[in-house]
Amino acid sequence: MPPDADIADYLQDAVAGAAARGGALCISGSGSKAFLAAGHATGPQAAGGQLLSTTEHTGIIDYRPEELVLTARAGTSLAHIEATLGAAGQRLPFEPPRFRGGGTLGGAVACGLSGPGRPWFGALRDAVLGVELINGLGERLRFGGQVMKNVAGYDLARLQAGAFGTLGLLLSVSLKVLPRPQSERTLVFELDPATAVARCRAWARQPYPLTGACHADGVLRVRLAGAPAAVDEAAAALGGDGAAAPGYWDALRDHALDWFRSGGCLWRLSVPPAADPAGMDCLINWAGAERWWSAPSGDDATARMLTRVAQAGGHARRFDATYGIQQPTGPAATYVRRLKAAFDPARVLNPHLSPADAY
Amino acid sequence: MQQVEIGAAERQRVTARLADVLPVGALLTEPRALKPYESDGLTAIREVPWLVALPESESQVRAVLAICREHGVPVVPRGAGTGLSGGARPRADGVLLGLARMNRILEIDLDNCVARVEPGVRNLAISQAAGEHGLYYAPDPSSQIACSIGGNVAENAGGVHCLKYGLTVHNVVGLRVLTIEGETLELGGKGLDAPGYDLLALMTGSEGMLGVVTEVTVRLLPVPPEKRVVLAAFGEVAAAAAAVGAIIAEGLIPAGLEMMDRLAIQAAEAFVQAGYPRGAAAILLCELDGVGAEVDAALAQVRRILIGQGAFSIRVAVDAAEQAKLWLGRKAAFPAVGRLAPDYYCMDGTIPRARLAEVLAHITALEAEFGLAVANVFHAGDGNLHPLILYDANRPGELERAEAMGARILAQCVAVGGTVTGEHGVGLEKLDSMCGQFSPAELDQMHRVKHAFDPAGLLNPGKAVPTLVRCAELGGMHVHGGVLPFANLPRF
């Protein structure tokens, strides 16, 4: 087990010092998701700040399984957290990716990515109960708490999820955790994408204990989890054409499936789950709501896909170095810029990933 | 925010402009018509508004906001007015913006399992509309027959099923929001996320201070086919609290897990005769839902745990009628307690469940100190405590004593690592208690977020986040940051 260490004072000094001299900081965790966070390569927002790593700010501060709450320092590895939870029969409900086996708690929250169970167990942001952070003024602030229900003040804790460290350097995070299901089974169906999406949407209206539904390369895999009797009952009702390889859901979660090695430019599409998949050629996750697309190069397929996603009422995001800088367009962009200024007026924290200046 | 002085001529101009953009009968100006809007569900805090605007469409809301912005008139948004913290208490110098007339269900989208509704739609009306398709909207605050979904979003409303199904923030996927500056924000949609900062989460629970919600998209869930309700009685509160921890530690997530203490039980029995054992120091009400095989297995497990934890009586409802009867005592707990004394003051702290017995002992000590009785009703599964302080407003000084006692209870919730409000919101009621939970720097950060959305400070001013001056005047109440007890407790 890695040693616990509290370097919050050092991190606070680093932020306050950078703010005082007009410097900038590039915050990093283990680097497992650095490929999403290169940000602006050129211009005034390009990286150029001093690197500040949180990986030595480690340790589980508080974990009582019967409270379903875990609090840990941001540099604590996901592996350590998951092992600790596992020993108590619990798990992270949002199943964050562990690219190449790495990842810290702070990095997971900053990137805000959720795994295969998201439609049923909630997103990472849904599990965030509280954070301690350092804002761009070098102040140590706590928002939210360690309790499930808390509406005291604005929810500035959940706001950190997916903000890529541009609103605060995360020191520690409290999460809601859940018991591991008693049993789990994967069903396999050979279906075309349109039929697979139609099935998933019909099943979503039924009280089946679904916890995963992913279609790729003509095969829909469905994960059932819960009490053994409930899983048996649902498996009998749903049928299927065979069994899945063990470890499928972990491989999907960590992008370790062969599908993700196709080499094209990878896009993540977030769409209304029933959006027509015909001709999209995607890996369809989250019972339709999350789709992954490997863009062919050299033609206008990307423009066509973006139009299609927008028409469906969804969003498309390139899953590459620019992922971390993508923000809403339209009127919301104004408020995004002002929020950045409200937390970090001097642009100390990850300026290369931050929205442009306000006002 | 100071009250704004508005001259008579300016008042006439604003009134005329508002009347121009609203349908006939949608601008209330007469004292008798204004009076019903003087408070929300927290009737102890009242102020008759200058005007009440009742728009019927988003474009009318936009027009009202534009006029108020141009004239510097404060706007207080209101849903159904069932809130319990004074968040919708109007201002004598402002416009109360009532959204109850925007009450259309715009779409039930069965393929995407969402409902798109206007903000004035009642919480229960969504589940009723979805019910014929076997779907429902999960969050169920106790006021659900009356409260509006827009108000639920503003308060991040909870209910008795939050442990398993989450709060409003977990069940809303899209919002349309108008800012006081006249911008229309489309946050989220029918999908599950959107790029960039999570403005959807930020807006939820912001008590109408960052924007006015004009449309809400909620996710719908399949109605669980089966449920079981168990009632367990304990001779000691600590044993009941331990049973809650044991149920969750065994990996069960009940749909509902409620606790009531002796005074609350007696009040409920006297009021609705739900069949609660009167001799009990505490009862637990546990609801399990899911498919048949699943709930039966869970029920057997819960029974075993309850016996192991010393329950002296366990009753499983045999049918839906008996389930409803067992729930009736809990759902009628507030009015039942209301029969014990002329008035009661409902608190809303949340604590880590492990500290329950300790906090209840503290409340018992406060009862002696303040000479007021307290009945405790507890969303035990998620640690949300509702102590009901009994008092008589007609006795001089008793309301003030009840409020002072309530503030002490909330300070204790913060001291053990909890929060001053789990689901009712801060509003005006808990501004002082916020000074105990947050440092000046934290409150200042919240003020800067407010400023980012409302630079002129016109939208529901003075609610939810206390000014630093107010906290400084209270003095010395800030509990965390290593100043006061439990300084070494990891708590946010």
Side-chain angles (χ1 to χ4, degrees), chain B residues 86-97:
Chain B
R89 194 223 56 183
R91 297 168 60 100
D93 63 353
V95 171
L96 185 78
L97 181 63

Side-chain angles (χ1 to χ4, degrees), chain B residues 93-406:
Chain B
D93 63 353
V95 171
L96 185 78
L97 181 63
L99 295 150
R101 291 189 183 177
M102 290 180 66
N103 61 357
R104 290 175 303 165
I105 293 175
L106 301 171
E107 184 186 10
I108 302 274
D109 178 342
L110 294 177
D111 286 333
N112 290 306
C113 287
V114 295
R116 205 159 53 80
V117 303
E118 290 186 331
V121 170
R122 290 175 305 112
N123 172 298
L124 189 60
I126 301 175
S127 291
Q128 286 168 339
E132 63 180 289
H133 311 289
L135 301 173
Y136 79 119
Y137 173 63
D140 58 344
S142 57
S143 56
Q144 71 174 157
I145 56 166
C147 64
S148 70
I149 189 70
N152 289 176
V153 170
E155 301 295 320
N156 190 15
V160 297
H161 294 103
C162 295
L163 180 66
K164 183 166 181 180
Y165 294 105
L167 304 158
T168 304
V169 70
H170 303 112
N171 290 280
V172 167
V173 291
L175 291 177
R176 273 175 77 86
V177 176
L178 300 189
T179 68
I180 189 76
E181 297 175 293
E183 300 288 1
T184 308
L185 307 183
E186 292 188 56
L187 309 178
K190 290 181 178 178
L192 290 174
D193 52 36
Y197 296 158
D198 198 337
L199 302 183
L200 184 63
L202 176 62
M203 209 52 75
T204 309
S206 63
E207 304 202 14
M209 294 181 60
L210 305 181
V212 177
V213 171
T214 57
E215 191 179 299
V216 185
T217 304
V218 300
R219 80 184 174 130
L220 302 173
L221 298 179
V223 177
E226 298 281 345
K227 68 176 177 183
R228 305 278 184 270
V229 178
V230 196
L231 172 78
F234 292 84
E236 285 179 39
V237 170
V244 172
I247 288 169
I248 290 165
E250 283 215 15
L252 294 165
I253 305 288
L257 191 53
E258 297 286 311
M259 190 190 294
M260 290 163 67
D261 76 354
R262 190 185 302 274
L263 190 54
I265 296 165
Q266 289 170 353
E269 264 314 286
F271 187 36
V272 296
Q273 295 87 44
Y276 295 171
R278 283 180 191 247
I283 57 158
L284 276 186
L285 204 53
C286 178
E287 180 175 301
L288 302 157
D289 69 7
V291 295
E294 186 179 20
V295 289
D296 286 333
L299 178 63
Q301 214 177 338
V302 166
R303 276 184 84 119
R304 182 173 49 70
I305 296 168
L306 292 170
I307 292 166
Q309 297 291 328
F312 70 75
S313 152
I314 295 174
R315 202 168 119 203
V316 180
V318 294
D319 55 21
E322 195 181 356
Q323 288 177 355
K325 194 176 170 199
L326 290 183
W327 267 114
L328 182 63
R330 167 61 188 89
K331 290 187 172 169
F334 285 22
V337 168
R339 295 166 79 238
L340 299 180
D343 302 283
Y344 68 84
Y345 185 35
C346 174
M347 310 308 299
D348 175 43
T350 304
I351 56 173
R353 268 183 280 95
R355 312 298 288 270
L356 176 64
E358 177 190 337
V359 171
L360 290 180
H362 184 81
I363 291 174
T364 304
L366 290 174
E367 289 183 86
E369 184 183 333
F370 285 85
L372 296 172
V374 176
N376 285 292
V377 178
F378 188 45
H379 299 305
D382 45 29
N384 189 195
L385 187 61
H386 291 315
L388 305 170
I389 305 171
L390 307 182
Y391 71 100
D392 181 351
N394 286 325
R395 289 198 195 139
E398 216 164 86
L399 168 63
E400 291 72 20
R401 223 158 70 231
E403 287 177 341
M405 183 177 173

Side-chain angles (χ1 to χ4, degrees), chain A residues 61-62 64-68 71-72 88 90 112 118-120 123 125-127 129-133 135 137 139-156 158-159 161-164 166-167 172-174 176-180 182 201 203-209 225-227 229-230 233 268 270-275 286 289-290 313 315-317 326-328 331-345 353-355 359, chain B residues 110-113 133-135 155-156 158-159 162-164 167 169-170 172 179 181 183-185 187-202 204-207 209-210 219 221-225 245-246 248-253 291-294 297 301 348 350-355 379 381-382 384 417-426 434 437-439 441-442 445-455 464-465 480-481 489-492:
Chain A
I61 301 170
D62 193 21
R64 279 160 295 167
E66 75 280 7
E67 297 279 343
L68 300 177
T71 302
Q90 296 186 341
R118 190 268 175 258
W120 302 275
R125 65 91 124 147
D126 292 315
L129 300 176
V131 300
E132 182 178 11
L133 58 79
N135 68 6
L137 303 171
E139 297 170 328
R140 266 172 89 163
L141 309 174
R142 292 169 166 185
F143 298 109
Q146 286 182 291
V147 290
M148 301 288 165
K149 273 167 129 176
N150 185 354
V151 293
Y154 303 127
D155 194 344
L156 303 187
R158 277 197 179 87
L159 185 61
F164 277 83
T166 58
L167 301 178
S172 59
V173 182
S174 289
K176 178 180 179 179
V177 300
L178 281 180
R180 249 190 344 224
Q182 292 169 359
R201 299 324 304 157
W203 289 336
R205 294 191 290 274
Q206 301 295 322
Y208 294 123
E233 208 176 285
R268 178 177 181 276
S270 176
V271 293
W286 292 5
E290 184 193 57
H315 306 273
R317 256 175 119 170
Q326 294 173 45
Q327 290 285 352
T334 304
Y335 296 97
V336 160
R337 286 197 293 272
R338 289 192 199 161
L339 270 178
K340 167 68 182 176
F343 280 87
D344 181 20
L353 295 168
S354 297
Y359 307 105
Chain B
L110 294 177
D111 286 333
N112 290 306
C113 287
H133 311 289
L135 301 173
E155 301 295 320
N156 190 15
C162 295
L163 180 66
K164 183 166 181 180
L167 304 158
V169 70
H170 303 112
V172 167
T179 68
E181 297 175 293
E183 300 288 1
T184 308
L185 307 183
L187 309 178
K190 290 181 178 178
L192 290 174
D193 52 36
Y197 296 158
D198 198 337
L199 302 183
L200 184 63
L202 176 62
T204 309
S206 63
E207 304 202 14
M209 294 181 60
L210 305 181
R219 80 184 174 130
L221 298 179
V223 177
I248 290 165
E250 283 215 15
L252 294 165
I253 305 288
V291 295
E294 186 179 20
Q301 214 177 338
D348 175 43
T350 304
I351 56 173
R353 268 183 280 95
R355 312 298 288 270
H379 299 305
D382 45 29
N384 189 195
T419 177
V420 299
T421 174
E423 57 183 359
H424 295 170
V426 174
M434 287 287 284
Q437 185 167 340
F438 293 99
S439 72
E442 288 156 359
Q445 181 66 73
M446 291 187 202
H447 286 302
R448 288 198 300 274
V449 168
K450 162 74 169 166
H451 188 80
F453 283 85
D454 179 16
V465 187
H480 81 225
L489 188 79
R491 194 203 65 74
F492 299 142

Side-chain angles (χ1 to χ4, degrees), chain A residues 150-326:
Chain A
N150 185 354
V151 293
Y154 303 127
D155 194 344
L156 303 187
R158 277 197 179 87
L159 185 61
Q160 306 304 320
F164 277 83
T166 58
L167 301 178
L169 182 154
L170 294 169
L171 286 175
S172 59
V173 182
S174 289
L175 297 170
K176 178 180 179 179
V177 300
L178 281 180
R180 249 190 344 224
Q182 292 169 359
S183 69
E184 202 171 280
R185 189 177 316 172
T186 297
L187 309 178
V188 173
F189 302 83
E190 286 173 22
L191 297 172
D192 64 83
T195 311
V197 167
R199 286 275 176 96
C200 286
R201 299 324 304 157
W203 289 336
R205 294 191 290 274
Q206 301 295 322
Y208 294 123
L210 292 181
T211 65
C214 182
H215 181 272
D217 302 323
V219 178
L220 172 66
R221 292 174 178 84
V222 171
R223 183 170 64 173
L224 301 171
V231 170
D232 288 346
E233 208 176 285
L238 296 179
D241 307 319
Y248 174 80
W249 298 101
D250 274 341
L252 170 63
R253 170 183 173 184
D254 298 332
H255 289 197
L257 294 175
D258 285 341
W259 191 94
F260 287 96
R261 299 201 187 97
S262 57
C265 175
L266 191 61
W267 287 77
R268 178 177 181 276
L269 318 176
S270 176
V271 293
D276 181 7
M280 281 179 112
D281 195 22
C282 289
L283 179 146
I284 303 170
N285 198 13
W286 292 5
E290 184 193 57
R291 304 187 189 187
W292 294 89
W293 185 56
S294 181
S297 57
D299 64 6
D300 57 356
T302 301
R304 281 202 308 275
M305 180 61 96
L306 295 187
T307 305
R308 205 160 154 192
V309 169
Q311 280 168 351
H315 306 273
R317 256 175 119 170
R318 245 162 66 191
F319 203 68
D320 65 6
T322 67
Y323 187 80
I325 58 174
Q326 294 173 45

